[in-house]
Amino acid sequence: MIEDLTPLKEHKNIYFLDAGHGGIDEDGNYLTAGKRSPLWSDGTQYFEGQGNRDIVEVISKKLEALNVPFVVLCPEVADVPLFERVARVLRYRTKLK
């Protein structure tokens, strides 16, 4: 969680980016049950959590280039349950008031 929220407090809108669920362990193994495509004929597979993190990374770079305030809720690669992601937003909300 970002500790110094001073720069964010001066903005009317702050965007929270959440890649959602899907965790990867230290060996690069996708851990979250489901949340993946079937195995494709070429042997590859799409993992929702990793794809979402890639999308958040692209959006983050674009927002940063435009100087738009944002927070990435789950920068870690571990699976973060929905209740914790919601709790993080609520903590930011409290600190930004």
Side-chain angles (χ1 to χ4, degrees):
M1 192 161 180
I2 299 171
E3 296 303 321
D4 181 13
L5 300 178
T6 306
L8 295 177
K9 286 184 177 185
E10 61 193 48
H11 294 278
K12 181 180 178 184
N13 296 309
I14 300 166
Y15 296 89
F16 290 89
L17 305 178
D18 179 13
H21 45 253
I24 302 167
D25 69 13
E26 58 277 348
D27 295 323
N29 299 310
Y30 194 76
L31 301 175
T32 309
K35 315 306 179 207
R36 63 189 80 200
S37 73
L39 195 61
W40 292 324
S41 60
D42 65 358
T44 61
Q45 194 171 26
Y46 177 80
F47 296 100
E48 181 182 344
Q50 185 56 50
N52 290 348
R53 283 177 178 77
D54 293 344
I55 292 167
V56 165
E57 184 178 340
V58 170
I59 292 170
S60 295
K61 288 178 182 176
K62 291 183 184 241
L63 291 174
E64 192 168 32
L66 293 168
N67 202 30
V68 173
F70 69 94
V71 173
V72 176
L73 282 178
C74 302
E76 63 270 41
V77 295
D79 193 8
V80 179
L82 178 59
F83 72 86
E84 173 57 26
R85 299 191 318 262
V86 170
R88 289 179 185 186
V89 171
L90 295 175
R91 285 193 297 269
Y92 275 110
R93 181 176 169 229
T94 300
K95 289 183 176 188
L96 288 168
K97 282 187 172 183

